[in-house]
Amino acid sequence: MEKYLSEDFIEKFSERVKGSVFDHEMNRIRTKINRVLQKENLYFDEECYLVLQSENKETENKICNFFVLPTHTLYYDDDEKLHEAGIALELYSQIEEDKYKRILLNLNDEAIEKGNWLNNISFFDRDYLVYKSDLYRYLRIAIKLSTRILKENQKKVFYDDAWLEDDDALEHISAFKYDQRMLQLRKYNNELENDTNRKEDIDAINFLTAQSKYISEITMLAFPEDPSVENSEWGWEDNEYYYLVYSKTWSWIRAFFNHNEIKLKLNEKELDDYLIEAGVFESNEIRPKTKIKRADRKTPPLKQRVFMINKLRLHEFLSHKEN
């Protein structure tokens, strides 16, 4: 159903009621509505006609010959959003001295705003009159303002081609809002997770790019060959791994980042741990206090702690994250 389509959204029920309906309870409600309308110089008189008073209350004009009682706030659930969509009304028009004709209507916002529902002969006849078309704006004001008397549970929801009323409507609205909150929470958590992953990926790419540059600038020895005394910058490699002295590598990369004004969002240990989990670094120890895996690994027969870097995973990580 297209949202707020009048021919689908409006429902009507008509019956005759005795004048006693207006005794006691109805008069109490009419008095309550009139309190709401008095600032607009409007009120429903004892015949339940809507009346407009002049500012000085010396003159009065009757707007329509029926009483309007709002019964529910209307909602429309389109499976994606819960729209506040209109007002349910009871209209009372006197047909005999002690009898009234009552019509129950669900009016969407568009119908209330334009007033076209009054021209629909399938809903109305001579028993319901707005005396002049330009007076409809006062009836519209009365309808909207009188909804202030509605209680929290006076709601109806149009869902799956049917109306849910009162407690059923409240339960549906509560369930819908709960589902929306859960949806927003999941969306927030996903966004937070994505933001975290982006932050980690950016740092990891910057670090591994710098590390690759470092590898290209130092002497790579066959693992586990001893370095010569003359050469102060070295690392090792075999077919599967690079072995870089941990402290030397981080020292070079820190200087590289400072020179290129690159700032990490993660601290060094967090970045180490992320790249271990990604399979780029190999670890064989866990820090006893934090339980974080160490990237500065002992790898006999080497005497220094080293990064043990998986060549294939290094290439795959940079290729995947940069694309």
Side-chain angles (χ1 to χ4, degrees):
M1 185 183 90
E2 184 181 342
K3 188 172 71 172
Y4 311 160
L5 209 61
S6 295
E7 54 266 32
D8 293 324
F9 198 77
I10 297 175
E11 286 193 344
K12 171 201 168 184
F13 174 74
S14 177
E15 66 177 359
R16 292 191 177 193
V17 294
K18 292 185 177 181
S20 58
V21 170
F22 288 100
D23 295 340
H24 306 301
E25 183 64 15
M26 287 301 296
N27 278 327
R28 186 187 67 81
I29 293 174
R30 182 169 59 85
T31 300
K32 196 172 183 179
I33 291 177
N34 283 343
R35 290 197 191 103
V36 176
L37 299 181
Q38 63 183 352
K39 289 185 178 180
E40 301 295 329
N41 295 319
L42 291 168
Y43 74 97
F44 286 98
D45 64 15
E46 291 183 357
E47 295 178 292
C48 291
Y49 286 20
L50 182 62
V51 176
L52 172 66
Q53 294 179 315
S54 62
E55 290 289 341
N56 56 16
K57 296 183 172 31
E58 291 183 357
T59 59
E60 294 184 342
N61 286 314
K62 288 186 177 181
I63 305 300
C64 61
N65 70 337
F66 53 88
F67 176 64
V68 179
L69 172 63
T71 62
H72 298 84
T73 302
L74 302 182
Y75 293 83
Y76 176 82
D77 181 353
D78 62 5
D79 285 324
E80 294 182 3
K81 188 175 180 181
L82 191 66
H83 307 268
E84 189 168 337
I87 304 169
L89 302 172
E90 291 183 359
L91 308 181
Y92 292 86
S93 178
Q94 190 171 20
I95 54 177
E96 295 179 18
E97 184 175 349
D98 61 345
K99 289 185 181 180
Y100 289 80
K101 182 177 180 180
R102 180 173 68 164
I103 292 181
L104 283 66
L105 288 176
N106 296 326
L107 297 181
N108 61 36
D109 289 327
E110 180 185 12
I112 292 171
E113 191 64 30
K114 293 181 178 180
N116 50 13
W117 54 283
L118 287 166
N119 301 321
N120 191 328
I121 59 174
S122 63
F123 294 110
F124 297 98
D125 54 28
R126 60 186 179 174
D127 297 324
Y128 293 85
L129 297 173
V130 174
Y131 293 110
K132 292 183 180 179
S133 59
D134 62 349
L135 295 177
Y136 175 74
R137 65 183 185 273
Y138 298 110
L139 176 58
R140 181 175 61 233
I141 291 171
I143 290 172
K144 291 182 176 181
L145 289 181
S146 60
T147 58
R148 294 179 185 177
I149 73 167
L150 293 177
K151 297 178 181 179
E152 179 62 24
N153 66 337
Q154 291 180 263
K155 290 179 170 59
K156 293 173 71 172
V157 179
F158 192 78
Y159 177 67
D160 197 22
D161 295 327
W163 286 102
L164 303 172
E165 297 186 22
D166 303 325
D167 291 342
D168 289 338
L170 283 180
E171 183 177 344
H172 183 90
I173 292 170
S174 296
F176 185 93
K177 289 181 177 179
Y178 175 80
D179 290 342
Q180 291 298 106
R181 286 197 298 272
M182 292 299 101
L183 184 64
Q184 289 298 320
L185 182 59
R186 286 194 294 270
K187 182 179 178 182
Y188 172 77
N189 287 337
N190 289 337
E191 289 175 351
L192 184 62
E193 182 179 351
N194 290 337
D195 286 344
T196 301
N197 288 341
R198 283 195 292 270
K199 176 178 68 175
E200 291 172 339
D201 287 343
I202 290 170
D203 281 358
I205 289 170
N206 284 330
F207 179 83
L208 294 179
T209 301
Q211 196 173 61
S212 298
K213 182 174 178 59
Y214 176 65
I215 290 170
S216 70
E217 294 185 3
I218 64 175
T219 300
M220 298 303 294
L221 306 173
F223 178 81
E225 179 184 340
D226 289 333
S228 63
V229 176
E230 296 83 18
N231 194 342
S232 61
E233 299 294 338
W234 73 89
W236 297 268
E237 66 176 321
D238 56 24
N239 290 335
E240 295 184 55
Y241 296 98
Y242 295 116
Y243 305 87
L244 303 181
V245 178
Y246 184 86
S247 58
K248 283 179 175 288
T249 305
W250 257 117
S251 179
W252 189 94
I253 289 176
R254 289 189 200 101
F256 178 83
F257 284 168
N258 287 335
H259 179 74
N260 291 279
E261 298 183 348
I262 297 173
K263 294 184 179 181
L264 295 177
K265 295 179 174 62
L266 301 176
N267 63 47
E268 294 178 7
K269 299 300 184 290
E270 288 174 333
L271 185 54
D272 283 350
D273 184 65
Y274 180 64
L275 288 169
I276 291 169
E277 293 300 319
V280 179
F281 298 157
E282 299 282 343
S283 175
N284 59 1
E285 287 183 78
I286 296 177
R287 299 179 187 278
K289 290 185 178 180
T290 62
K291 304 302 181 183
I292 293 176
K293 293 179 181 179
R294 297 186 68 142
D296 55 336
R297 114 177 224 141
K298 292 180 180 178
T299 307
L302 302 177
K303 296 178 181 180
Q304 299 96 333
R305 285 185 174 271
V306 296
F307 280 114
M308 185 174 172
I309 306 162
N310 186 305
K311 290 182 176 181
L312 179 61
R313 289 295 298 133
L314 170 63
H315 174 73
E316 288 177 346
F317 187 93
L318 286 175
S319 298
H320 175 71
K321 298 299 182 182
E322 288 176 348
N323 287 335

